[in-house]
Amino acid sequence: MLRIASQPRPNWEQLATEFGFHFHTMYGEPYWDESAYYQFTLQQIEQDIEDPTEELHQMCLHVVDKVVKSEALLRQCQIPEAHWDYIANSWQQRQPSLYSRLDLVYDGNGPAKLLENNADTPTSLYETGFWQWLWLENLVDQGKIARNADQFNSLQEKLVNRFRKLKQQYQYQRIHFTCCADSVEDRGTVQYLQDCASAAGIEVPFLYVEEIGLGDTGYFTDIQDNPITHCFKLYPWEFMLREEFGDALETSEAQWLEPAWKSVISNKALLPLLWQSFENHPNLLPAFFEQDAHKAHGGKWIKKPLFSREGANISLLEDNQQRTQLSDGPYGEEGFVIQQFNPLPRYGEHYVLIGSWLVDNQAAGISIREDSSLITQDLSRYLPHIIL
Amino acid sequence: MSHNQKRSKSIHLPQLRKAFALKPLALGIASVMLSACGGSREASQIYVSPDDCKQDNPEATGQCLAAYEAALEEHNRTSPKFNTENDCEYEFGSDRCQYVKTSSGSFFMPFMAGYMVSQLMQPRPYYSQPLYTSFSPYSSFRSRWVTSNGYVFDGDIRRRSYNAPSSTFEKKPTVNRTIKRGGFGSSVRAKSSWGSSSKSKGWGG
């Protein structure tokens, strides 16, 4: 695994405009960064990332199965009691999922370690499935990268195939797509998924989360009062379950992507639960619920809220004592977990985090993010990669 | 590098080009759906009128009329509805839409172009559903049969006989009016207002 400096394509910003990639620069900071790329061997990709990703996913499904059958665990995961049946049913019916992203610490050697699972609302999808794919095509065409170079990135192909299957096997003829207003990045991600679903022959109307209505017959409605029967939402279950329309979920009969059972594994309670079930698995870091912190002997630990996004509200514990707050944020009221500290590998001034994608249960590619701080924050940069 | 390539084999770039595309272009691959997978199937016939049906089933004129009326009723209940005539005609073609005024509001909807009947000649209850077609060059179901919930049948409108998935005949959900909006999305406002460094970001992770 190497970091290789590279000349940005002279016309890349123009290309970005042409393809509607509007969030390559955010808040005045570059987000898409092609001044370098990471290079892996095929063996690193297949043995250290692809296979463990699929195995970790199966381990997560094992945890879902365990949690939905146990009131104590549902409570420990802070799932609101009113929705226990709804979530358990979504799992018993095996409601289909679309995708997820595992965040891994990996430096080219030894087993990758799972930091967390973005199982519900993962982003950086467009940059991965399409934009870095196009980057490699362009650089190979210009003779800047060897013709036999490849990329671990079948994301777009697998997404279109998954939508095709949802249509044929699960009768998803029309999917409403939704995300919050006011986020260019989220809207871009959702537009990309609309394009993938549309390529599979599905109708793809869009509306913002805030615009979803509730009809007199109990169905959710779009702006034209059409019932929403199938819906992709880039909006977390932990919010939906606690908001006003949460009470209408059961009678609405809507099929959601991601399905409600994903609320169990997008929750950081997953980490200690994985450790309980698969202690000492090479791809796991030791993790405990806050109240079991005495089991964490010595060393450095990271304390994270059960629900949080983009590295918010994280602190560092040393020898169960000192406490350094590493990031600020609005989360934490639902409790915390602790996970053994495993620093991100450093390349020059850059700390590197690997996002490993799954479409349903198949490993589908990676995204690489760099940050100048140890905790990957919102404004980390996205870099492409190749296999050679 | 062909059989074990780790990246998407090809990506259709025009589909992702956004600068000039006003509407997503319909892709010509919407016809793969009546393949073997998924659910049970009902041998079904499509008729454009009760007379059309009677010609095919001279001994069942009563059923033909009843099936037509059931489809028409379902059509009024579940047809796609549009705020403007323009939007409706964009999807279904010019002069293919009617203005409808009800107690809960007014809108435009396409004319029912035909109806699909299953088990007309069986002693069991028959099933009937309204069907639509489009004359619009912008539509993904131009010259095809489509159900009110968007299921597009393979082949063009001259084809009248299908093994339709049984879900085609399920009762479609309907809504008369929306009683409330804004019941999702409140957490965002709460959580994104922390601190002065707040960057109005989405909720992806």
Side-chain angles (χ1 to χ4, degrees):
Chain A
M1 179 177 169
L2 306 167
R3 186 183 198 275
I4 296 174
S6 172
Q7 197 71 255
R9 292 163 292 173
N11 65 336
W12 78 263
E13 291 195 45
Q14 186 193 323
L15 272 179
T17 307
E18 190 181 323
F19 284 100
F21 180 28
H22 298 304
F23 50 99
H24 57 74
T25 305
M26 288 193 277
Y27 319 108
E29 305 278 339
Y31 166 64
W32 166 258
D33 182 355
E34 57 179 79
S35 68
Y37 60 85
Y38 282 83
Q39 178 177 320
F40 296 81
T41 65
L42 185 59
Q43 191 181 358
Q44 284 172 332
I45 292 292
E46 290 188 332
Q47 285 182 11
D48 293 347
I49 296 179
E50 185 175 22
D51 294 349
T53 293
E54 293 189 353
E55 187 179 344
L56 283 165
H57 181 69
Q58 291 304 319
M59 289 155 62
C60 291
L61 296 185
H62 171 87
V63 168
V64 176
D65 193 56
K66 218 167 110 172
V67 170
V68 298
K69 290 172 182 159
S70 156
E71 292 191 358
L73 290 176
L74 283 162
R75 190 164 284 121
Q76 201 161 21
C77 292
Q78 298 291 329
I79 309 268
E81 190 168 344
H83 300 300
W84 287 355
D85 285 344
Y86 179 69
I87 288 166
N89 287 338
S90 78
W91 174 249
Q92 269 136 29
Q93 295 164 9
R94 294 296 187 274
Q95 287 179 8
S97 77
L98 180 63
Y99 73 147
S100 40
R101 192 191 79 226
L102 306 180
D103 283 346
L104 303 175
V105 189
Y106 179 66
D107 64 0
N109 297 296
K113 301 283 188 185
L114 176 70
L115 269 191
E116 52 188 69
N117 185 353
N118 296 284
D120 187 14
T121 59
T123 54
S124 74
L125 187 71
Y126 175 84
E127 307 85 291
T128 305
F130 175 62
W131 193 246
Q132 72 166 347
W133 184 94
L134 185 67
W135 167 86
L136 179 59
E137 289 283 303
N138 291 164
L139 266 73
V140 167
D141 286 346
Q142 293 162 15
K144 303 237 171 78
I145 284 182
R147 195 148 283 280
N148 61 338
D150 200 358
Q151 192 171 67
F152 182 31
N153 178 19
S154 55
L155 193 52
Q156 177 158 339
E157 197 170 275
K158 287 203 164 76
L159 284 169
V160 174
N161 287 338
R162 182 65 180 155
F163 277 119
R164 209 167 271 150
K165 184 162 182 185
L166 288 172
K167 174 167 178 151
Q168 291 174 353
Q169 198 167 323
Y170 296 92
Q171 306 301 324
Y172 279 58
Q173 312 296 342
R174 174 190 296 149
I175 303 178
H176 282 85
F177 285 78
T178 188
C179 67
C180 290
D182 305 327
S183 167
V184 180
E185 187 193 0
D186 284 4
R187 185 67 192 91
T189 301
V190 170
Q191 180 60 56
Y192 179 58
L193 282 166
Q194 286 173 267
D195 290 341
C196 291
S198 171
I202 293 174
E203 273 188 72
V204 295
F206 175 85
L207 77 166
Y208 288 110
V209 167
E210 296 87 343
E211 294 174 329
I212 293 175
L214 183 62
D216 58 341
T217 45
Y219 299 104
F220 290 122
T221 57
D222 66 13
I223 315 197
Q224 289 85 31
D225 289 353
N226 296 310
I228 294 175
T229 55
H230 301 81
C231 189
F232 173 89
K233 78 217 169 33
L234 193 62
Y235 191 69
W237 272 112
E238 76 228 29
F239 291 175
M240 288 172 65
L241 296 176
R242 287 166 175 80
E243 290 175 350
E244 188 185 345
F245 280 180
D247 298 335
L249 282 164
E250 208 138 349
T251 47
S252 75
E253 294 172 27
Q255 299 279 315
W256 299 93
L257 293 172
E258 295 301 304
W261 56 262
K262 283 285 191 101
S263 60
V264 175
I265 49 178
S266 61
N267 179 322
K268 303 231 174 18
L270 170 71
L271 302 169
L273 293 173
L274 276 174
W275 187 251
Q276 283 170 20
S277 290
F278 305 97
E279 196 172 332
N280 297 321
H281 187 282
N283 299 113
L284 294 180
L285 292 167
F288 302 98
F289 286 101
E290 192 181 16
Q291 58 269 32
D292 300 328
H294 57 275
K295 294 181 185 165
H297 299 295
K300 292 185 181 179
W301 296 78
I302 292 286
K303 183 176 163 191
K304 323 182 187 194
L306 236 48
F307 302 121
S308 76
R309 264 143 230 289
E310 304 287 356
N313 294 92
I314 286 180
S315 24
L316 178 68
L317 312 182
E318 289 191 71
D319 298 326
N320 302 355
Q321 295 286 331
Q322 288 139 293
R323 193 183 144 197
T324 323
Q325 187 169 323
L326 301 177
S327 63
D328 197 5
Y331 303 101
E333 62 202 48
E334 289 89 3
F336 292 84
V337 301
I338 62 167
Q339 183 184 45
Q340 193 172 70
F341 177 60
N342 191 318
L344 296 176
R346 191 172 159 174
Y347 288 76
E349 299 301 303
H350 316 286
Y351 295 96
V352 182
L353 178 71
I354 294 182
S356 183
W357 293 86
L358 288 132
V359 173
D360 188 24
N361 52 16
Q362 291 181 301
I366 53 172
S367 45
I368 295 180
R369 289 171 83 172
E370 270 190 355
D371 204 299
S372 49
S373 97
L374 248 180
I375 308 297
T376 294
Q377 279 280 4
D378 215 8
L379 295 183
S380 55
R381 284 162 300 109
Y382 188 107
L383 278 80
H385 79 278
I386 68 169
I387 307 172
L388 197 62
Chain B
M1 213 188 66
S2 50
H3 66 288
N4 60 353
Q5 181 176 311
K6 307 295 282 184
R7 68 183 192 279
S8 298
K9 277 163 201 66
S10 68
I11 288 182
H12 186 55
L13 295 183
Q15 182 201 346
L16 289 161
R17 209 163 260 136
K18 292 282 178 276
F20 306 106
L22 294 172
K23 284 255 178 184
L25 287 171
L27 298 159
I29 56 164
S31 54
V32 279
M33 69 273 311
L34 279 182
S35 62
C37 13
S40 60
R41 304 216 160 232
E42 302 283 350
S44 310
Q45 295 294 322
I46 296 171
Y47 300 111
V48 296
S49 67
D51 286 341
D52 183 21
C53 174
K54 282 180 221 164
Q55 274 186 12
D56 219 16
N57 308 279
E59 71 284 26
T61 52
Q63 284 100 313
C64 279
L65 193 60
Y68 171 77
E69 280 166 0
L72 204 55
E73 193 178 314
E74 191 69 1
H75 158 70
N76 286 325
R77 205 173 67 83
T78 64
S79 157
K81 296 177 177 67
F82 297 84
N83 286 335
T84 69
E85 186 167 29
N86 219 12
D87 288 348
C88 187
E89 292 194 343
Y90 186 90
E91 200 62 76
F92 290 92
S94 59
D95 298 331
R96 305 304 305 172
C97 295
Q98 55 186 323
Y99 177 73
V100 179
K101 200 165 185 300
T102 70
S103 55
S104 58
S106 60
F107 45 83
F108 291 87
M109 62 193 231
F111 295 107
M112 181 171 98
Y115 61 110
M116 177 172 252
V117 181
S118 162
Q119 301 177 359
L120 190 66
M121 303 307 289
Q122 306 288 322
R124 288 177 291 163
Y126 56 82
Y127 301 105
S128 171
Q129 278 291 328
L131 290 180
Y132 307 88
T133 189
S134 174
F135 295 83
S136 164
Y138 311 110
S139 172
S140 57
F141 44 89
R142 182 181 189 177
S143 297
R144 292 168 181 244
W145 294 110
V146 59
T147 65
S148 60
N149 62 340
Y151 186 97
V152 186
F153 286 93
D154 198 6
D156 82 6
I157 46 170
R158 282 168 299 190
R159 183 167 164 191
R160 297 296 179 81
S161 172
Y162 287 94
N163 277 319
S166 52
S167 62
T168 309
F169 295 102
E170 277 167 14
K171 211 167 151 60
K172 312 278 184 302
T174 49
V175 170
N176 306 308
R177 65 200 168 84
T178 293
I179 50 180
K180 191 170 194 323
R181 291 195 192 276
F184 283 134
S186 56
S187 309
V188 172
R189 284 187 292 280
K191 299 260 175 183
S192 62
S193 61
W194 63 278
S196 55
S197 66
S198 164
K199 302 163 185 108
S200 163
K201 254 282 299 187
W203 296 98

PDB file of all heavy atoms in Angstrom, chain A residues 247-269:
ATOM      1  N   ASP A 247     -44.479   7.029  14.638  1.00  0.00           N
ATOM      2  CA  ASP A 247     -45.649   6.262  15.056  1.00  0.00           C
ATOM      3  C   ASP A 247     -46.438   5.720  13.874  1.00  0.00           C
ATOM      4  O   ASP A 247     -47.232   4.794  14.030  1.00  0.00           O
ATOM      5  CB  ASP A 247     -46.585   7.140  15.902  1.00  0.00           C
ATOM      6  CG  ASP A 247     -45.897   7.613  17.173  1.00  0.00           C
ATOM      7  OD1 ASP A 247     -44.959   6.921  17.617  1.00  0.00           O
ATOM      8  OD2 ASP A 247     -46.289   8.671  17.705  1.00  0.00           O
ATOM      9  N   ALA A 248     -46.247   6.317  12.697  1.00  0.00           N
ATOM     10  CA  ALA A 248     -47.021   5.897  11.531  1.00  0.00           C
ATOM     11  C   ALA A 248     -46.298   4.831  10.708  1.00  0.00           C
ATOM     12  O   ALA A 248     -46.844   4.317   9.739  1.00  0.00           O
ATOM     13  CB  ALA A 248     -47.318   7.114  10.646  1.00  0.00           C
ATOM     14  N   LEU A 249     -45.056   4.508  11.110  1.00  0.00           N
ATOM     15  CA  LEU A 249     -44.252   3.593  10.286  1.00  0.00           C
ATOM     16  C   LEU A 249     -44.953   2.266  10.064  1.00  0.00           C
ATOM     17  O   LEU A 249     -45.001   1.748   8.956  1.00  0.00           O
ATOM     18  CB  LEU A 249     -42.895   3.359  10.959  1.00  0.00           C
ATOM     19  CG  LEU A 249     -41.885   4.494  10.798  1.00  0.00           C
ATOM     20  CD1 LEU A 249     -40.746   4.351  11.791  1.00  0.00           C
ATOM     21  CD2 LEU A 249     -41.346   4.511   9.365  1.00  0.00           C
ATOM     22  N   GLU A 250     -45.495   1.722  11.154  1.00  0.00           N
ATOM     23  CA  GLU A 250     -46.048   0.379  11.074  1.00  0.00           C
ATOM     24  C   GLU A 250     -47.235   0.297  10.111  1.00  0.00           C
ATOM     25  O   GLU A 250     -47.289  -0.581   9.260  1.00  0.00           O
ATOM     26  CB  GLU A 250     -46.454  -0.089  12.464  1.00  0.00           C
ATOM     27  CG  GLU A 250     -46.396  -1.566  12.603  1.00  0.00           C
ATOM     28  CD  GLU A 250     -45.779  -1.977  13.946  1.00  0.00           C
ATOM     29  OE1 GLU A 250     -45.222  -1.113  14.663  1.00  0.00           O
ATOM     30  OE2 GLU A 250     -45.866  -3.153  14.279  1.00  0.00           O
ATOM     31  N   THR A 251     -48.161   1.246  10.219  1.00  0.00           N
ATOM     32  CA  THR A 251     -49.356   1.181   9.371  1.00  0.00           C
ATOM     33  C   THR A 251     -49.101   1.681   7.954  1.00  0.00           C
ATOM     34  O   THR A 251     -49.880   1.406   7.057  1.00  0.00           O
ATOM     35  CB  THR A 251     -50.509   2.012   9.974  1.00  0.00           C
ATOM     36  OG1 THR A 251     -49.978   3.276  10.351  1.00  0.00           O
ATOM     37  CG2 THR A 251     -51.094   1.319  11.185  1.00  0.00           C
ATOM     38  N   SER A 252     -47.994   2.387   7.748  1.00  0.00           N
ATOM     39  CA  SER A 252     -47.742   2.947   6.412  1.00  0.00           C
ATOM     40  C   SER A 252     -47.408   1.871   5.391  1.00  0.00           C
ATOM     41  O   SER A 252     -47.517   2.102   4.191  1.00  0.00           O
ATOM     42  CB  SER A 252     -46.574   3.931   6.468  1.00  0.00           C
ATOM     43  OG  SER A 252     -45.362   3.223   6.570  1.00  0.00           O
ATOM     44  N   GLU A 253     -46.995   0.713   5.862  1.00  0.00           N
ATOM     45  CA  GLU A 253     -46.622  -0.411   5.000  1.00  0.00           C
ATOM     46  C   GLU A 253     -45.513  -0.070   4.016  1.00  0.00           C
ATOM     47  O   GLU A 253     -45.292  -0.801   3.046  1.00  0.00           O
ATOM     48  CB  GLU A 253     -47.827  -0.946   4.210  1.00  0.00           C
ATOM     49  CG  GLU A 253     -48.886  -1.590   5.094  1.00  0.00           C
ATOM     50  CD  GLU A 253     -50.149  -1.947   4.324  1.00  0.00           C
ATOM     51  OE1 GLU A 253     -50.047  -2.188   3.112  1.00  0.00           O
ATOM     52  OE2 GLU A 253     -51.218  -1.978   4.959  1.00  0.00           O
ATOM     53  N   ALA A 254     -44.831   1.051   4.202  1.00  0.00           N
ATOM     54  CA  ALA A 254     -43.762   1.412   3.261  1.00  0.00           C
ATOM     55  C   ALA A 254     -42.571   0.476   3.451  1.00  0.00           C
ATOM     56  O   ALA A 254     -42.259   0.060   4.564  1.00  0.00           O
ATOM     57  CB  ALA A 254     -43.332   2.857   3.497  1.00  0.00           C
ATOM     58  N   GLN A 255     -41.932   0.146   2.332  1.00  0.00           N
ATOM     59  CA  GLN A 255     -40.696  -0.625   2.364  1.00  0.00           C
ATOM     60  C   GLN A 255     -39.542   0.361   2.269  1.00  0.00           C
ATOM     61  O   GLN A 255     -39.481   1.143   1.324  1.00  0.00           O
ATOM     62  CB  GLN A 255     -40.627  -1.574   1.164  1.00  0.00           C
ATOM     63  CG  GLN A 255     -41.736  -2.594   1.113  1.00  0.00           C
ATOM     64  CD  GLN A 255     -41.453  -3.770   2.034  1.00  0.00           C
ATOM     65  OE1 GLN A 255     -40.344  -4.285   2.052  1.00  0.00           O
ATOM     66  NE2 GLN A 255     -42.444  -4.168   2.807  1.00  0.00           N
ATOM     67  N   TRP A 256     -38.626   0.297   3.227  1.00  0.00           N
ATOM     68  CA  TRP A 256     -37.553   1.290   3.266  1.00  0.00           C
ATOM     69  C   TRP A 256     -36.217   0.694   2.854  1.00  0.00           C
ATOM     70  O   TRP A 256     -35.902  -0.442   3.167  1.00  0.00           O
ATOM     71  CB  TRP A 256     -37.403   1.864   4.682  1.00  0.00           C
ATOM     72  CG  TRP A 256     -38.615   2.564   5.178  1.00  0.00           C
ATOM     73  CD1 TRP A 256     -39.629   2.010   5.917  1.00  0.00           C
ATOM     74  CD2 TRP A 256     -38.970   3.936   4.968  1.00  0.00           C
ATOM     75  NE1 TRP A 256     -40.583   2.975   6.176  1.00  0.00           N
ATOM     76  CE2 TRP A 256     -40.203   4.158   5.615  1.00  0.00           C
ATOM     77  CE3 TRP A 256     -38.353   5.003   4.309  1.00  0.00           C
ATOM     78  CZ2 TRP A 256     -40.839   5.403   5.616  1.00  0.00           C
ATOM     79  CZ3 TRP A 256     -38.981   6.232   4.310  1.00  0.00           C
ATOM     80  CH2 TRP A 256     -40.213   6.429   4.957  1.00  0.00           C
ATOM     81  N   LEU A 257     -35.439   1.527   2.214  1.00  0.00           N
ATOM     82  CA  LEU A 257     -34.020   1.240   1.985  1.00  0.00           C
ATOM     83  C   LEU A 257     -33.256   2.340   2.707  1.00  0.00           C
ATOM     84  O   LEU A 257     -33.508   3.497   2.422  1.00  0.00           O
ATOM     85  CB  LEU A 257     -33.654   1.286   0.501  1.00  0.00           C
ATOM     86  CG  LEU A 257     -34.266   0.185  -0.367  1.00  0.00           C
ATOM     87  CD1 LEU A 257     -33.991   0.471  -1.822  1.00  0.00           C
ATOM     88  CD2 LEU A 257     -33.730  -1.181   0.027  1.00  0.00           C
ATOM     89  N   GLU A 258     -32.398   2.020   3.645  1.00  0.00           N
ATOM     90  CA  GLU A 258     -32.180   0.717   4.207  1.00  0.00           C
ATOM     91  C   GLU A 258     -33.376   0.279   5.077  1.00  0.00           C
ATOM     92  O   GLU A 258     -34.082   1.124   5.596  1.00  0.00           O
ATOM     93  CB  GLU A 258     -30.915   0.751   5.073  1.00  0.00           C
ATOM     94  CG  GLU A 258     -29.646   1.017   4.245  1.00  0.00           C
ATOM     95  CD  GLU A 258     -29.436  -0.030   3.174  1.00  0.00           C
ATOM     96  OE1 GLU A 258     -29.386  -1.223   3.499  1.00  0.00           O
ATOM     97  OE2 GLU A 258     -29.352   0.336   1.999  1.00  0.00           O
ATOM     98  N   PRO A 259     -33.568  -1.048   5.227  1.00  0.00           N
ATOM     99  CA  PRO A 259     -34.666  -1.530   6.069  1.00  0.00           C
ATOM    100  C   PRO A 259     -34.436  -1.212   7.549  1.00  0.00           C
ATOM    101  O   PRO A 259     -33.309  -0.925   7.958  1.00  0.00           O
ATOM    102  CB  PRO A 259     -34.650  -3.038   5.823  1.00  0.00           C
ATOM    103  CG  PRO A 259     -33.253  -3.344   5.402  1.00  0.00           C
ATOM    104  CD  PRO A 259     -32.763  -2.143   4.663  1.00  0.00           C
ATOM    105  N   ALA A 260     -35.510  -1.298   8.334  1.00  0.00           N
ATOM    106  CA  ALA A 260     -35.431  -0.877   9.745  1.00  0.00           C
ATOM    107  C   ALA A 260     -34.428  -1.689  10.559  1.00  0.00           C
ATOM    108  O   ALA A 260     -33.853  -1.174  11.523  1.00  0.00           O
ATOM    109  CB  ALA A 260     -36.827  -0.957  10.379  1.00  0.00           C
ATOM    110  N   TRP A 261     -34.185  -2.948  10.178  1.00  0.00           N
ATOM    111  CA  TRP A 261     -33.237  -3.738  10.993  1.00  0.00           C
ATOM    112  C   TRP A 261     -31.827  -3.174  10.927  1.00  0.00           C
ATOM    113  O   TRP A 261     -30.996  -3.484  11.779  1.00  0.00           O
ATOM    114  CB  TRP A 261     -33.268  -5.216  10.621  1.00  0.00           C
ATOM    115  CG  TRP A 261     -33.023  -5.596   9.185  1.00  0.00           C
ATOM    116  CD1 TRP A 261     -33.975  -5.873   8.239  1.00  0.00           C
ATOM    117  CD2 TRP A 261     -31.760  -5.794   8.528  1.00  0.00           C
ATOM    118  NE1 TRP A 261     -33.385  -6.209   7.043  1.00  0.00           N
ATOM    119  CE2 TRP A 261     -32.026  -6.176   7.186  1.00  0.00           C
ATOM    120  CE3 TRP A 261     -30.431  -5.679   8.934  1.00  0.00           C
ATOM    121  CZ2 TRP A 261     -31.016  -6.440   6.260  1.00  0.00           C
ATOM    122  CZ3 TRP A 261     -29.424  -5.946   8.011  1.00  0.00           C
ATOM    123  CH2 TRP A 261     -29.717  -6.325   6.688  1.00  0.00           C
ATOM    124  N   LYS A 262     -31.549  -2.295   9.966  1.00  0.00           N
ATOM    125  CA  LYS A 262     -30.227  -1.679   9.905  1.00  0.00           C
ATOM    126  C   LYS A 262     -29.985  -0.763  11.110  1.00  0.00           C
ATOM    127  O   LYS A 262     -28.851  -0.410  11.410  1.00  0.00           O
ATOM    128  CB  LYS A 262     -30.063  -0.878   8.614  1.00  0.00           C
ATOM    129  CG  LYS A 262     -29.808  -1.732   7.374  1.00  0.00           C
ATOM    130  CD  LYS A 262     -28.387  -2.262   7.345  1.00  0.00           C
ATOM    131  CE  LYS A 262     -27.991  -2.893   6.028  1.00  0.00           C
ATOM    132  NZ  LYS A 262     -27.188  -2.071   5.161  1.00  0.00           N
ATOM    133  N   SER A 263     -31.071  -0.356  11.784  1.00  0.00           N
ATOM    134  CA  SER A 263     -30.891   0.507  12.957  1.00  0.00           C
ATOM    135  C   SER A 263     -30.082  -0.213  14.037  1.00  0.00           C
ATOM    136  O   SER A 263     -29.464   0.422  14.879  1.00  0.00           O
ATOM    137  CB  SER A 263     -32.242   0.966  13.507  1.00  0.00           C
ATOM    138  OG  SER A 263     -33.012  -0.145  13.896  1.00  0.00           O
ATOM    139  N   VAL A 264     -30.091  -1.536  14.008  1.00  0.00           N
ATOM    140  CA  VAL A 264     -29.335  -2.286  15.020  1.00  0.00           C
ATOM    141  C   VAL A 264     -27.834  -2.209  14.747  1.00  0.00           C
ATOM    142  O   VAL A 264     -27.028  -2.109  15.675  1.00  0.00           O
ATOM    143  CB  VAL A 264     -29.792  -3.764  15.046  1.00  0.00           C
ATOM    144  CG1 VAL A 264     -28.940  -4.581  16.003  1.00  0.00           C
ATOM    145  CG2 VAL A 264     -31.263  -3.865  15.417  1.00  0.00           C
ATOM    146  N   ILE A 265     -27.427  -2.235  13.480  1.00  0.00           N
ATOM    147  CA  ILE A 265     -25.985  -2.274  13.213  1.00  0.00           C
ATOM    148  C   ILE A 265     -25.385  -0.932  12.802  1.00  0.00           C
ATOM    149  O   ILE A 265     -24.188  -0.824  12.594  1.00  0.00           O
ATOM    150  CB  ILE A 265     -25.597  -3.365  12.182  1.00  0.00           C
ATOM    151  CG1 ILE A 265     -26.474  -3.306  10.947  1.00  0.00           C
ATOM    152  CG2 ILE A 265     -25.674  -4.726  12.811  1.00  0.00           C
ATOM    153  CD1 ILE A 265     -26.086  -4.339   9.896  1.00  0.00           C
ATOM    154  N   SER A 266     -26.210   0.103  12.678  1.00  0.00           N
ATOM    155  CA  SER A 266     -25.628   1.423  12.417  1.00  0.00           C
ATOM    156  C   SER A 266     -25.367   2.128  13.739  1.00  0.00           C
ATOM    157  O   SER A 266     -24.940   3.271  13.781  1.00  0.00           O
ATOM    158  CB  SER A 266     -26.578   2.257  11.560  1.00  0.00           C
ATOM    159  OG  SER A 266     -27.797   2.439  12.236  1.00  0.00           O
ATOM    160  N   ASN A 267     -25.613   1.405  14.794  1.00  0.00           N
ATOM    161  CA  ASN A 267     -25.550   1.874  16.148  1.00  0.00           C
ATOM    162  C   ASN A 267     -24.220   1.384  16.714  1.00  0.00           C
ATOM    163  O   ASN A 267     -23.841   0.255  16.477  1.00  0.00           O
ATOM    164  CB  ASN A 267     -26.732   1.154  16.800  1.00  0.00           C
ATOM    165  CG  ASN A 267     -26.941   1.414  18.229  1.00  0.00           C
ATOM    166  OD1 ASN A 267     -25.997   1.542  18.988  1.00  0.00           O
ATOM    167  ND2 ASN A 267     -28.193   1.448  18.613  1.00  0.00           N
ATOM    168  N   LYS A 268     -23.507   2.206  17.475  1.00  0.00           N
ATOM    169  CA  LYS A 268     -22.178   1.773  17.910  1.00  0.00           C
ATOM    170  C   LYS A 268     -22.224   0.683  18.978  1.00  0.00           C
ATOM    171  O   LYS A 268     -21.203   0.086  19.310  1.00  0.00           O
ATOM    172  CB  LYS A 268     -21.354   2.962  18.369  1.00  0.00           C
ATOM    173  CG  LYS A 268     -21.257   3.993  17.263  1.00  0.00           C
ATOM    174  CD  LYS A 268     -19.914   4.456  16.941  1.00  0.00           C
ATOM    175  CE  LYS A 268     -19.891   5.365  15.729  1.00  0.00           C
ATOM    176  NZ  LYS A 268     -21.168   5.980  15.317  1.00  0.00           N
ATOM    177  N   ALA A 269     -23.429   0.385  19.480  1.00  0.00           N
ATOM    178  CA  ALA A 269     -23.561  -0.779  20.353  1.00  0.00           C
ATOM    179  C   ALA A 269     -23.123  -2.038  19.610  1.00  0.00           C
ATOM    180  O   ALA A 269     -22.755  -3.044  20.220  1.00  0.00           O
ATOM    181  CB  ALA A 269     -25.013  -0.925  20.817  1.00  0.00           C
TER     182      ALA A 269
END
